[in-house]
Amino acid sequence: MEVDKHLPKIIASQIVTDIINNVLESGEKVIEERYANSFGTSRGPVREALYILENEGMIERIPKRGSFVKKYNRQDLCDLFEVRGSLENMSLSRLKYPLQEDQVNEIDQIISDMATANMEVYAQLNNDFHYKVLSLSGNEVYKNIFSRLGTPLITLQKLVLETPESVKQSYEEHKMLWKAIKVGKINLAKAVLEDHIESGKRRFYEAVEKNKK
Amino acid sequence: MEVDKHLPKIIASQIVTDIINNVLESGEKVIEERYANSFGTSRGPVREALYILENEGMIERIPKRGSFVKKYNRQDLCDLFEVRGSLENMSLSRLKYPLQEDQVNEIDQIISDMATANMEVYAQLNNDFHYKVLSLSGNEVYKNIFSRLGTPLITLQKLVLETPESVKQSYEEHKMLWKAIKVGKINLAKAVLEDHIESGKRRFYEAVEKNKK
DNA sequence: TAAGTATAAATTGTTAACAATTTGTTGAAG
DNA sequence: CTTCAACAAATTGTTAACAATTTATACTTA
């Protein structure tokens, strides 16, 4: 990971961490001055961080009221899955073969890392995988939109991937998808992707039901 | 139009106007102090306006370098069309009949206004139409993403809708699409939408070719 | 002239104080 | 007990000055 000296981004990343770890709860107000104090800065950079996070879909800013941790309901999260999948599906139509070797190697590495990753790491690798696959098409617009959808999904992947079995199943799906892409079977890849999205949604619903109890 | 007293939004809207009217050219640097002076404010609110516009895809902010009017190439714009269409397509699957009467009336009104609108107004109405259609599904995530794609498209619609004939053709397409939605023929609507996207892209390419000369 | 370097100017980043607004609290009136 | 108004506290919005950085300019040297 590269170190980013841009202060607002550092603060933004800390806020995301706090959201993931439930230091900040869903719907909670994020008070500028508190983060300013905890970083020993003024409110300016915190403000900018909040704008960045609004862009990433983690924060909802209401003028003169404040910034709140964005609440997603079940439907919202399924929609995020769905839109992300749809973008990825479209990007598959754009692939140019042969694929670039370095990009292939990167994704190979992600798949390989997935095999032994714990839940937290897996959630991040999962996001990386989908981002890299989308990036294969070289499409800037898709990449841009994707990166705006990804962050909320990472935070919820932890919930979805509750059991080792669901991680295992997700892993197998990724391996299958990647194989289909590598050998250029686009239509197969699209079908696998569609299945992957469906089972992702299903796992998500199951996890939510479980958490209710 | 409602008056918004939130200063950064007012400034943001002025910057968008300047971009549309080519007062600010594509790729040009937007200097904070100039807008601060022209509004008689400090740089703070201008800064926030630029954050907002970054979120809307109109501005690209590069840390410590500045804010630039975002450049879109032909491929980017086609992709924006495509993603917007894809979102709209997905939302069509979510429609619940009977449609809400007030929403139907609003869209009827837009279609009606389109008949006599000039190019500038038409571009805005066009965006409104697609947004309202998407909103019929009540899907917050789709609406959210859509509103992040829309602004750059408005600015370019003026280019696409150069001739009265292309406006006329676009108008007929919208009428057809809306009719199909109203009578609940979703699959027909999807087909019409797909055509609409394709012809939109085609008109865009033609416009670009023309402008080259 | 060309390339590189020191300097100056312009611009963005950050801060701390103040203004405006919203939110919370208390107490009086019904 | 509830409702409402006045006040107090907390928080966001804005400002102006200063710091850090980038960009432009002029100058030196080969």
Side-chain angles (χ1 to χ4, degrees):
Chain A
M1 297 279 170
E2 64 196 306
V3 179
D4 196 332
K5 278 173 73 182
H6 198 233
L7 189 46
K9 281 186 184 164
I10 297 172
I11 298 173
S13 136
Q14 178 60 51
I15 294 176
V16 169
T17 303
D18 288 349
I19 293 173
I20 291 177
N21 296 332
N22 258 304
V23 176
L24 290 169
E25 283 173 39
S26 178
E28 186 177 344
K29 188 170 183 179
V30 180
I31 285 144
E32 297 172 1
E33 198 155 26
R34 283 193 205 149
Y35 274 93
N37 289 337
S38 83
F39 274 88
T41 69
S42 68
R43 279 166 47 222
V46 178
R47 228 137 202 287
E48 184 166 345
L50 290 169
Y51 272 103
I52 292 171
L53 293 176
E54 182 180 40
N55 199 19
E56 290 181 9
M58 295 298 284
I59 289 287
E60 186 163 14
R61 264 177 60 87
I62 304 174
K64 303 185 184 177
R65 308 293 293 291
S67 306
F68 304 84
V69 178
K70 189 153 180 179
K71 263 185 170 167
Y72 288 99
N73 60 32
R74 268 179 294 180
Q75 185 60 55
D76 292 338
L77 290 166
C78 286
D79 292 341
L80 283 174
F81 269 121
E82 200 168 277
V83 174
R84 189 182 73 170
S86 164
L87 277 176
E88 204 169 338
N89 188 304
M90 286 190 274
S91 78
L92 289 180
S93 307
R94 296 277 177 83
L95 293 185
K96 292 274 186 300
Y97 287 90
L99 301 173
Q100 261 187 261
E101 201 183 337
D102 54 337
Q103 290 180 308
V104 170
N105 290 338
E106 278 179 359
I107 299 178
D108 278 338
Q109 185 61 50
I110 292 173
I111 292 283
S112 154
D113 291 345
M114 274 179 162
T116 58
N118 63 30
M119 217 161 54
E120 274 80 9
V121 174
Y122 188 90
Q124 183 62 57
L125 287 172
N126 178 58
N127 198 61
D128 291 349
F129 172 83
H130 287 282
Y131 183 72
K132 294 281 185 192
V133 167
L134 193 107
S135 300
L136 284 174
S137 69
N139 189 307
E140 287 305 318
V141 170
Y142 291 178
K143 278 163 71 176
N144 191 307
I145 299 170
F146 185 92
S147 58
R148 293 173 175 188
L149 303 176
T151 324
L153 284 175
I154 297 175
T155 67
L156 284 130
Q157 217 103 47
K158 276 176 58 181
L159 182 65
V160 176
L161 298 166
E162 247 185 348
T163 67
E165 299 88 59
S166 60
V167 173
K168 175 74 180 166
Q169 196 196 330
S170 169
Y171 170 61
E172 293 299 336
E173 287 170 15
H174 284 91
K175 232 165 54 176
M176 209 185 305
L177 173 56
W178 179 224
K179 192 175 176 187
I181 293 170
K182 274 214 284 195
V183 300
K185 294 190 174 175
I186 297 303
N187 286 329
L188 174 60
K190 286 188 175 183
V192 173
L193 178 62
E194 211 150 303
D195 271 353
H196 177 58
I197 295 164
E198 279 312 311
S199 59
K201 280 198 217 169
R202 192 168 34 70
R203 279 196 291 273
F204 172 65
Y205 269 112
E206 283 167 8
V208 169
E209 288 306 314
K210 229 181 192 170
N211 269 40
K212 271 186 181 169
K213 294 166 197 169
Chain B
M1 296 282 166
E2 63 196 310
V3 180
D4 195 332
K5 279 173 74 181
H6 198 232
L7 189 46
K9 280 187 184 165
I10 298 172
I11 298 172
S13 135
Q14 177 61 49
I15 294 176
V16 170
T17 303
D18 287 349
I19 293 173
I20 292 177
N21 296 333
N22 257 302
V23 176
L24 290 169
E25 283 173 39
S26 177
E28 185 176 344
K29 187 171 184 178
V30 181
I31 285 145
E32 297 173 1
E33 198 154 25
R34 284 193 204 148
Y35 274 94
N37 289 338
S38 82
F39 274 88
T41 70
S42 69
R43 276 168 47 224
V46 177
R47 221 140 209 284
E48 307 232 340
L50 290 169
Y51 299 149
I52 292 170
L53 293 176
E54 183 178 37
N55 287 4
E56 290 181 8
M58 293 299 286
I59 289 287
E60 186 163 14
R61 265 173 57 85
I62 304 174
K64 302 181 185 181
R65 308 292 292 291
S67 306
F68 304 83
V69 179
K70 190 152 177 179
K71 262 185 169 167
Y72 288 99
N73 59 33
R74 269 178 294 180
Q75 184 60 54
D76 292 338
L77 291 166
C78 287
D79 291 340
L80 282 174
F81 270 121
E82 200 167 276
V83 174
R84 190 182 71 170
S86 164
L87 277 176
E88 205 169 336
N89 188 304
M90 286 190 273
S91 77
L92 289 181
S93 307
R94 295 278 177 83
L95 294 186
K96 293 273 186 299
Y97 288 90
L99 301 173
Q100 262 187 260
E101 201 184 336
D102 54 336
Q103 291 181 308
V104 170
N105 290 339
E106 279 179 0
I107 300 178
D108 278 339
Q109 185 61 49
I110 292 173
I111 292 284
S112 155
D113 291 345
M114 273 179 163
T116 58
N118 63 31
M119 217 159 57
E120 275 81 8
V121 174
Y122 188 91
Q124 183 63 57
L125 287 172
N126 178 58
N127 198 61
D128 291 348
F129 173 82
H130 286 282
Y131 183 71
K132 295 280 185 193
V133 167
L134 193 107
S135 300
L136 285 174
S137 70
N139 190 307
E140 287 303 319
V141 169
Y142 291 179
K143 277 162 73 175
N144 191 306
I145 299 170
F146 184 92
S147 58
R148 293 173 176 189
L149 302 176
T151 323
L153 283 175
I154 298 176
T155 65
L156 284 130
Q157 217 103 47
K158 277 176 58 181
L159 182 65
V160 176
L161 298 165
E162 248 184 347
T163 67
E165 299 87 61
S166 61
V167 174
K168 175 76 179 163
Q169 197 196 329
S170 169
Y171 170 61
E172 293 299 336
E173 287 170 14
H174 283 91
K175 233 167 50 177
M176 209 184 305
L177 174 56
W178 179 223
K179 192 175 175 186
I181 293 171
K182 274 214 282 193
V183 299
K185 294 191 174 175
I186 298 302
N187 285 329
L188 174 59
K190 286 189 176 184
V192 173
L193 178 63
E194 210 151 302
D195 269 356
H196 176 59
I197 295 163
E198 278 312 310
S199 59
K201 279 198 220 171
R202 192 168 33 71
R203 279 196 291 273
F204 173 66
Y205 269 113
E206 282 168 7
V208 170
E209 287 306 315
K210 229 179 193 171
N211 270 38
K212 271 185 179 167
K213 291 165 197 168

